[in-house]
Amino acid sequence: MILVSVVEEYIFRHRLINYFDEETMLNDFWTVMLATLISTILSFAWFMSVEILLMTFIINLIMSLLYINTNRSLGVNILVRCFMYFGVLLLNYIV
């Protein structure tokens, strides 16, 4: 799960947001929106589950905003995503 977190954050956040920021004249709002939409579509293609589409959009939006507001630090996003996955695993184990 840690490897998945690192790869998702690197591709969905670092590469996408830096591409839109450097190659286009978009402001931060549109950069975050495009990165969120693309990462949600890619996550949907990976999971193929309509039930988690809204939650995936919200998580990707929060993670993109966090990436922008922490001066583009991948470490914070990777830690948050790892804690999120660990929390889900812990809840599944308890329930």
Side-chain angles (χ1 to χ4, degrees), residues 23-38:
E23 302 296 328
T24 64
M25 299 288 290
L26 297 173
N27 60 10
D28 284 345
F29 173 77
W30 288 111
T31 300
V32 167
M33 282 292 116
L34 283 173
T36 300
L37 288 174
I38 291 171

Side-chain angles (χ1 to χ4, degrees), residues 46-91:
W46 177 258
F47 293 119
M48 294 299 254
S49 175
V50 178
E51 295 86 18
I52 65 167
L53 195 58
L54 178 63
M55 195 62 192
T56 303
F57 177 81
I58 293 170
I59 289 170
N60 284 324
L61 178 64
I62 291 170
M63 296 302 275
S64 295
L65 288 171
L66 184 66
Y67 179 73
I68 290 287
N69 290 325
T70 57
N71 295 326
R72 299 164 198 259
S73 172
L74 272 178
V76 175
N77 281 37
I78 290 170
L79 284 174
V80 168
R81 191 171 286 268
C82 286
F83 285 136
M84 183 177 58
Y85 286 152
F86 180 70
V88 168
L89 289 174
L90 188 63
L91 283 173

